[in-house]
Amino acid sequence: MKKFLSLVLALTMAMSLVTISAGAKDFTDDSKITYKEAVDVVSSLDIVDGYTDGSFNPTNTLTRGAAAKIICN
């Protein structure tokens, strides 16, 4: 039983090092994004979509509608 729990713990720790970037969107302004890994995670979970032109625009002001979408998701 201890070996099984050790294996499960080791696998869990190893998987926590893997980033979620498979479903992340490629934004046209990747060079402006400071926290790229965080943006990849929320993008792959469909919490944020970016703008229709394919950009993320990290310096834009968050609108009330965008904040509501983030909170609901």
Side-chain angles (χ1 to χ4, degrees):
M1 185 68 172
K2 287 183 182 180
K3 287 183 181 181
F4 177 73
L5 289 176
S6 297
L7 178 64
V8 170
L9 181 61
L11 287 173
T12 304
M13 290 174 59
M15 293 304 293
S16 69
L17 299 174
V18 177
T19 59
I20 302 172
S21 61
K25 295 175 180 62
D26 291 325
F27 295 110
T28 57
D29 55 351
D30 278 343
S31 61
K32 296 180 184 178
I33 300 172
T34 306
Y35 301 102
K36 179 76 173 112
E37 186 175 350
V39 171
D40 286 345
V41 169
V42 294
S43 171
S44 66
L45 295 173
D46 290 329
I47 295 173
V48 295
D49 297 333
Y51 290 91
T52 55
D53 63 350
S55 63
F56 183 72
N57 292 329
T59 57
N60 279 8
T61 305
L62 189 66
T63 64
R64 189 182 313 171
K69 181 180 185 264
I70 291 169
I71 292 168
C72 288
N73 286 338

